[in-house]
C-alpha cells in the first residue's frame, strides 16, 4: 500500500473518530473540543470560546488569512480568510459536517438538474438537506424548503 493511501486512510479514520467524539461530548452537555463543562455556547466551554476569539482577533489585526499566515497578501476586508481559502474551508466544512465532497455535491446538482429536491423549483443558493440525527446527506434544497 503506498504511503499516501495509508495516510489518507489514517486521516479519514481520525476524522470519523473526532466527529463521533465531538457528538458524544456535545450530547452529554460537554465541550465538543476539550470535553469540559459548563458550556457557554451550544458546543463550547468558556475557555475554548476565549481561545478561539483571541486567535481570530490576533489574525485579524495582523491582516492575514488564518490558513496562509506565512504568505503575504491580506484577506478581503471584514474576513479572516482569503478568497481561495474561504472556498476551500466551505468544502472542508461540508465534508466534515455532512460527508459530502465537492464532486458529490456537483453530481447531485447535475442529477437534480439545478432544481430543489422537494418542490422542484429553481435553486438560487443550494442548501444541504440532511438528517439532523445522523448528519446524512439527502440532497439540495431551495431556501423555502430548507426552512419549511
Amino acid at each position: 500500500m503506498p504511503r499516501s493511501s495509508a495516510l489518507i486512510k489514517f486521516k479519514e479514520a481520525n476524522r470519523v473518530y473526532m466527529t463521533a467524539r465531538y457528538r458524544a461530548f456535545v450530547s452529554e452537555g460537554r465541550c465538543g473540543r476539550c470535553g469540559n463543562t459548563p458550556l457557554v455556547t451550544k458546543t463550547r466551554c468558556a475557555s475554548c470560546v476565549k481561545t478561539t476569539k483571541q486567535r481570530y482577533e490576533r489574525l485579524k489585526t495582523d491582516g492575514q488569512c488564518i490558513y496562509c499566515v506565512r504568505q503575504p497578501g491580506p484577506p478581503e476586508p471584514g474576513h479572516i480568510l482569503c478568497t481561495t481559502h474561504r472556498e476551500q474551508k466551505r468544502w472542508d466544512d461540508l465534508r466534515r459536517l455532512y460527508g459530502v465532497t465537492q464532486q458529490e455535491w456537483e453530481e447531485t446538482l447535475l442529477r437534480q438538474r439545478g432544481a430543489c429536491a422537494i418542490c422542484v423549483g429553481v435553486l438560487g443558493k443550494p442548501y444541504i438537506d440532511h438528517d439532523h440525527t445522523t448528519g446524512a446527506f439527502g440532497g439540495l434544497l431551495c431556501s423555502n424548503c430548507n426552512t419549511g
Side-chain angles (χ1 to χ4, degrees), residues 55-146:
R55 178 174 174 241
Y56 283 173
E57 288 303 316
R58 186 180 71 247
L59 290 169
K60 273 187 188 177
T61 57
D62 290 347
Q64 295 178 320
C65 169
I66 63 173
Y67 288 107
C68 52
V69 172
R70 291 184 225 115
Q71 300 173 0
E76 295 178 14
H79 296 282
I80 56 173
L81 296 174
C82 63
T83 307
T84 303
H85 286 108
R86 194 169 46 229
E87 186 70 14
Q88 179 184 342
K89 183 176 183 324
R90 176 176 175 253
W91 293 116
D92 288 347
D93 287 346
L94 288 175
R95 184 166 180 256
R96 179 177 49 84
L97 294 170
Y98 310 116
V100 178
T101 64
Q102 182 175 0
Q103 181 180 356
E104 291 171 330
W105 189 89
E106 290 170 351
E107 288 171 358
T108 303
L109 187 61
L110 287 173
R111 189 175 60 247
Q112 290 181 204
R113 297 186 182 128
C116 173
I118 295 175
C119 72
V120 196
V122 176
L123 288 172
K125 174 186 173 189
Y127 291 86
I128 299 282
D129 179 27
H130 65 283
D131 183 324
H132 286 255
T133 308
T134 64
F137 175 62
L140 301 171
L141 304 178
C142 66
S143 177
N144 289 337
C145 293
N146 186 49

Side-chain angles (χ1 to χ4, degrees), residues 32-45:
R33 179 170 290 164
C34 68
N36 291 334
T37 55
L39 298 179
V40 293
T41 67
K42 286 183 177 181
T43 62
R44 298 282 187 250
C45 67

Side-chain angles (χ1 to χ4, degrees), residues 11-52:
K11 285 184 175 183
E12 181 64 20
N14 190 49
R15 184 190 68 78
V16 170
Y17 166 75
M18 293 303 289
T19 302
R21 177 179 170 257
Y22 170 86
R23 287 189 176 144
F25 280 172
V26 171
S27 69
E28 295 168 1
R30 297 171 21 189
C31 176
R33 179 170 290 164
C34 68
N36 291 334
T37 55
L39 298 179
V40 293
T41 67
K42 286 183 177 181
T43 62
R44 298 282 187 250
C45 67
S47 174
C48 288
V49 168
K50 183 179 177 183
T51 303
T52 302

